Amino acid sequence: MAVVLQNVVFPTNQDPDVLPLYADPETWATVKCMPLRLSDSASIDNVLSRHSARVRPGKRVSYATYFNAFPASYWQRWTVVRDITLNISTSGTGTVIVYRSNSGGQQQRVESRTVKGDGVNNVFQLPLNSFGDGGWYWFDLIAGSSELVLERATWETTAKPVKTGKVSLGMCTFNKAEYCVETLANIAADPALREVVDKILLVDQGTAKVKDRPEFPQIAAELGDQLRVIHQGNLGGSGGYSRAMAETLQLADTDFLLLLDDDIEFETESAIRALQFGRFSSNPVIVGGHMFDLYDKPVLHAWAEHVKPGPFLWGPSFPEQHRHNFKESNLRQTPWMHARLDADYNGWWMSLIPKQVIADIGLSLPVFIKWDDSEYSLRAAEHGYRTVSLPGVALWHMSWLDKDDSQDWQAYFHTRNRIIAGLLHSTQPRGGKLMQNSSRQDIKKLLNMQYYAVQLSINAMRDVLAGPEKLHSTIKTVMPEARALMSEFGETRVWLPDDEDHPVSRGGRSLPIIQDPTWFEEESRPELQYPTGINLALFTAKTVAKQWLREDATDKIPELEYAKRDALWWHIPKHESVIIGSADGRGKMWYRHDRAKFRRMLREIQVLRRQIERNWDTLAKQYREALPHITSVEMWLETFEK
C-alpha cells in the first residue's frame, strides 16, 4: 500500500510573500556568479486551493522550491525508502518534466510527458540510489495554448515504515496566547494532521493564559480530547518542553513528540513530513525543522547548525546559510542547498523527538533557556541518535533582528549554559577555547560599557563553579533575580521620546553605515573596518589600558548618538558617554563609563575564567555524573510539583 511522504501544497492565506517557497515561475540569469531574477511573475491568484494551482497559457512554473521539491539525499541517507512514486494529476494541455539534481546543484532531466484532458494522472517511478552526497527531485509544468491546472501531486512510497505510532505536539508558552490560539486553529483546520496527532500538550507557564483568549473555547471544542492544557510555573523552555516529554512517555499511542515554540506561524504539512521521516528512519533520529523569519517570510534563519568544537559555539555550518532569501535565490539558483548537510542540533522552535530517545537519554537539562536544545542533541548523539535538519520541514518564527538577548537578562543563560554544555560534551582539553572566547565576549561588552550584561556573566561563572546540584532548585528564581539586577545599572533604562529628561548628545547623530557599495566604507570611512589579527590585539590592549585610567563619565553629556545597527563594538569604546538606540526601536539607551565597575569586572572575569579552566576536569566529572539524575523524569516531576 502506498504511503504519502510529502504533499505538494500551496499557501491559502493570500500572502504573496511566501510564494517563492512553493512555486517558481520566474526567469533567472547569472551575473558575476550571482543569481539575478529577471521577472516578477508570481501571483497569489494562481493558487486555487491547498493542493492545486494553475499555470497560465504559454507559461512555465517550476516546483523546485523549498516546500515542494523532494529532498532525495536525506531520504536515501537516513530512511529505509529506496524508491519513490511521484503522482501528478492535471487538467488541461501541456508538458510535465521531472528533474533531479546532484550534490553540486547541476540540474538533470529525468523524464518528460505531454498531458491533455481533465483529471489526467501521471505516475513517475523514481529510484533513491544515487543521492549519497546530495540532490533533489522536482517537476516543472509548461502550459500549452490554454491554462494547465495542477489538481494534486504527491510523493509516495510502498516501503514499510519502521514505526507506525502517532505524534503528539508539545507547545510551551509564556504570555504568547494570541500566537498559540492561531497555531491551535491551524491544527484544528487540517484533517490530515489531526488524523496522525495523538495529543496536543500545551504547557502554559504565563500569566496571560491561553484559555482566557475569546477564541479558545471554540477551538478547544473542535480539538476535543486531543488538546490537553497544562498549567505550571515559569520554568522556561527547558521546563515547559520537559513537561511535554514527561507526559509523552505516558502516551501509549505516541511514538514521537514534536516540540513547537509559541511565537510561530505553523505550516501544518511540515508536521506530517517530519512524522513520516521519523517513521521511515532506519534508526531513530531527531528530525528538526527550519526557521523562516515571521516578518520577512522568504528569509531562512539557517540550514544546518553546528557547535564548533574549538570555541564550543553554536551557529550555521557556513555563513552563506544565514538569512538566505529565497526571493533573491531560489532552490535551483543555490548550489549549496543541493549538498546534503548534517547538523549537530536543531532549535526547539520545531523538533521531532522519538519517544524512544526520550526514554533512553532523559528530559531536558534544567537550565531555563539557551543551549537546552543543542545540549539535548549532543547528548543524543553520544547515545547514537543523530539530528537531521530536514529541508521542506519548517515554520515561521519571530526574528531576532529586533532583539539583543546578549545584553539583557538572557546574557546570564548564554554564559552559564554554554559552559555547562561544554563541561558535558566538549572533547577538547579544558574545553578548548571556550573560556577564552567567552572572556573575549565579556571584554567586548565591558569596553562598550555594557556592565549589566558583564555582571550577569560573572554571576553565571560563579554558579557554574557551584556545581550542578542547584540547577533544579533555582530554575524558578534565577530569571527573576537576573531581571531584578537591572535596577543597579543605568544603561538598562530605555529612554522614551516623551521622557522629560531624555538625554541629548552634543555631537548629534552618527552617519549610518552604508552596506553597498563597500568601497564607500573602505575608502571614506576606514574606522568602520573590523580589527583582526595583530591589529585586534593592539586595539584591545590599548583600549583596556585607556578605560582603566579613564575618569567616570556618569554625569557627562553624551558625545554622540548611534542607531543600534551602527554601534560597532570597536567604535563605541572611543566614547566616554554615548546614546545607542534600543534593539526593539522603542527608545534610546545611555552608556556611560564607570571606572570602578570596569576595574572590578575586568579582574573578576579573569579570575573566574582561570578558576574554571584550572578546575575543568573536576567540574566536567561532577556535571557528567549528575546528568542522568538532573535530566531524569523523577527529578523533573519533583520540580513540576513544587
Side-chain angles (χ1 to χ4, degrees):
M1 179 179 175
V3 176
V4 175
L5 303 178
Q6 184 172 311
N7 291 287
V8 171
V9 294
F10 301 98
T12 56
N13 58 359
Q14 297 297 302
D15 185 350
D17 286 345
V18 302
L19 282 176
L21 304 178
Y22 295 87
D24 184 5
E26 310 300 351
T27 301
W28 297 83
T30 302
V31 178
K32 294 183 178 180
C33 299
M34 296 295 291
L36 177 65
R37 182 166 52 86
L38 302 178
S39 63
D40 191 13
S41 303
S43 172
I44 199 71
D45 293 336
N46 291 327
V47 175
L48 303 179
S49 72
R50 177 64 166 159
H51 297 101
S52 64
R54 69 171 151 232
V55 182
R56 301 284 183 176
K59 299 296 183 180
R60 178 175 187 151
V61 175
S62 177
Y63 298 97
T65 57
Y66 179 85
F67 279 121
N68 284 329
F70 187 82
S73 64
Y74 292 82
W75 281 88
Q76 177 178 315
R77 167 63 180 88
W78 298 106
T79 75
V80 297
V81 177
R82 289 297 168 260
D83 54 73
I84 56 171
T85 301
L86 171 60
N87 280 297
I88 303 176
S89 178
T90 59
S91 292
T93 302
T95 304
V96 179
I97 308 177
V98 178
Y99 292 96
R100 59 155 290 170
S101 64
N102 60 22
S103 61
Q106 284 79 27
Q107 177 175 297
Q108 301 169 356
R109 185 177 178 132
V110 176
E111 189 174 350
S112 173
R113 294 182 192 173
T114 300
V115 294
K116 185 177 182 179
D118 294 334
V120 176
N121 194 57
N122 275 272
V123 178
F124 299 87
Q125 302 295 337
L126 305 170
L128 290 182
N129 56 13
S130 57
F131 295 92
D133 293 329
W136 297 66
Y137 278 122
W138 69 85
F139 64 94
D140 288 9
L141 294 182
I142 306 170
S145 57
S146 59
E147 72 177 22
L148 178 63
V149 174
L150 174 64
E151 302 287 0
R152 192 178 183 96
T154 56
W155 304 89
E156 303 176 357
T157 186
T158 55
K160 185 178 180 180
V162 178
K163 294 280 188 180
T164 58
K166 292 187 174 184
V167 61
S168 285
L169 310 183
M171 299 171 60
C172 168
T173 185
F174 180 82
N175 292 350
K176 297 286 179 63
E178 181 179 357
Y179 287 98
C180 289
V181 293
E182 289 179 2
T183 298
L184 292 174
N186 286 341
I187 296 168
D190 191 327
L193 178 57
R194 293 278 304 277
E195 187 177 339
V196 296
V197 167
D198 184 13
K199 299 294 180 184
I200 303 166
L201 305 168
L202 175 59
V203 184
D204 193 339
Q205 304 184 130
T207 53
K209 298 295 185 182
V210 176
K211 67 180 179 62
D212 295 331
R213 292 288 303 181
E215 314 96 312
F216 180 77
Q218 180 179 346
I219 297 171
E222 292 178 24
L223 291 170
D225 62 4
Q226 278 187 305
L227 176 63
R228 182 184 299 174
V229 181
I230 301 165
H231 297 281
Q232 66 180 31
N234 186 15
L235 304 177
S238 62
Y241 291 130
S242 286
R243 184 63 179 268
M245 292 178 184
E247 298 288 335
T248 295
L249 292 175
Q250 305 303 314
L251 299 175
D253 295 333
T254 293
D255 276 345
F256 303 91
L257 172 66
L258 179 62
L259 301 181
L260 295 171
D261 213 336
D262 51 2
D263 48 353
I264 63 169
E265 186 175 306
F266 189 34
E267 170 52 85
T268 54
E269 168 70 16
S270 290
I272 300 173
R273 295 178 184 182
L275 172 62
Q276 295 295 55
F277 195 86
R279 283 173 166 175
F280 283 91
S281 293
S282 307
N283 297 294
V285 295
I286 296 173
V287 185
H290 291 146
M291 186 193 101
F292 284 91
D293 188 338
L294 187 59
Y295 299 137
D296 196 358
K297 290 190 172 180
V299 175
L300 180 74
H301 167 64
W303 194 265
E305 297 193 90
H306 286 255
V307 176
K308 298 177 183 178
F312 205 81
L313 191 62
W314 61 29
S317 51
F318 51 87
E320 288 79 4
Q321 298 178 45
H322 184 58
R323 294 196 61 77
H324 177 84
N325 191 332
F326 280 82
K327 191 172 183 178
E328 297 176 357
S329 181
N330 218 316
L331 180 61
R332 291 176 298 167
Q333 294 77 42
T334 314
W336 63 258
M337 282 188 186
H338 296 257
R340 180 176 57 79
L341 299 178
D342 293 339
D344 287 339
Y345 71 95
N346 199 96
W348 278 354
W349 49 75
M350 183 178 189
S351 191
L352 181 122
I353 305 175
K355 186 166 71 172
Q356 177 181 333
V357 174
I358 300 172
D360 193 6
I361 75 169
L363 312 187
S364 171
L365 200 64
V367 291
F368 198 79
I369 57 169
K370 305 301 177 188
W371 283 89
D372 44 3
D373 45 15
S374 50
E375 186 281 326
Y376 197 85
S377 282
L378 294 174
R379 192 188 339 154
E382 292 174 359
H383 286 75
Y385 304 116
R386 298 290 299 277
T387 295
V388 180
S389 292
L390 183 62
V393 173
L395 48 68
W396 289 269
H397 187 283
M398 288 184 68
S399 169
W400 291 293
L401 287 181
D402 295 330
K403 301 179 183 179
D404 190 352
D405 59 17
S406 68
Q407 293 185 40
D408 64 14
W409 57 270
Q410 297 174 80
Y412 171 89
F413 298 100
H414 275 293
T415 298
R416 187 196 67 173
N417 298 350
R418 177 187 176 192
I419 297 172
I420 290 175
L423 288 167
L424 290 169
H425 303 294
S426 176
T427 58
Q428 305 273 318
R430 295 186 177 182
K433 296 182 178 179
L434 191 162
M435 293 309 302
Q436 179 190 75
N437 181 270
S438 180
S439 179
R440 286 178 177 176
Q441 297 302 317
D442 288 335
I443 291 173
K444 282 183 182 180
K445 294 173 185 176
L446 200 54
L447 294 177
N448 281 261
M449 299 167 281
Q450 298 166 8
Y451 303 119
Y452 171 63
V454 178
Q455 184 62 58
L456 290 177
S457 184
I458 289 169
N459 294 351
M461 287 188 280
R462 288 175 180 158
D463 287 348
V464 169
L465 287 164
E469 292 78 14
K470 293 185 178 181
L471 287 175
H472 270 282
S473 62
T474 61
I475 193 170
K476 286 185 179 180
T477 60
V478 67
M479 185 272 286
E481 289 171 358
R483 292 178 68 93
L485 198 62
M486 292 173 62
S487 62
E488 300 179 21
F489 295 88
E491 76 271 12
T492 62
R493 176 181 174 180
V494 178
W495 299 77
L496 302 177
D498 295 335
D499 290 343
E500 292 183 1
D501 53 350
H502 193 292
V504 178
S505 69
R506 65 170 181 262
R509 187 173 172 85
S510 71
L511 292 173
I513 295 175
I514 307 298
Q515 295 291 348
D516 290 307
T518 55
W519 61 263
F520 180 82
E521 294 182 7
E522 294 173 357
E523 296 184 4
S524 302
R525 301 183 66 186
E527 75 276 9
L528 300 182
Q529 298 308 299
Y530 191 104
T532 58
I534 187 65
N535 290 332
L536 176 59
L538 290 172
F539 169 83
T540 303
K542 289 179 180 179
T543 309
V544 167
K546 185 181 294 184
Q547 294 212 13
W548 183 273
L549 299 172
R550 180 181 285 169
E551 297 290 337
D552 284 352
T554 52
D555 297 324
K556 291 188 177 181
I557 296 173
E559 299 164 24
L560 203 61
E561 178 183 328
Y562 288 86
K564 175 65 177 177
R565 67 184 297 272
D566 298 334
L568 304 175
W569 75 263
W570 62 93
H571 202 196
I572 296 303
K574 298 176 183 178
H575 303 286
E576 296 178 322
S577 176
V578 66
I579 299 172
I580 300 175
S582 61
D584 59 9
R586 290 190 303 123
K588 309 296 179 183
M589 305 175 82
W590 187 2
Y591 295 86
R592 290 163 280 189
H593 177 67
D594 186 316
R595 185 167 67 178
K597 286 179 179 176
F598 179 85
R599 290 182 173 184
R600 174 181 64 81
M601 291 180 179
L602 184 62
R603 285 192 294 261
E604 290 185 356
I605 289 169
Q606 301 307 323
V607 168
L608 289 166
R609 170 194 167 182
R610 286 192 291 269
Q611 276 187 274
I612 292 174
E613 287 181 327
R614 186 168 57 248
N615 295 286
W616 185 270
D617 292 342
T618 301
L619 288 167
K621 186 173 184 292
Q622 291 176 4
Y623 278 91
R624 293 179 188 190
E625 288 179 350
L627 184 61
H629 176 62
I630 62 178
T631 59
S632 67
V633 174
E634 294 75 20
M635 190 67 193
W636 268 110
L637 287 177
E638 291 182 17
T639 300
F640 298 147
E641 293 168 1
K642 289 180 181 177

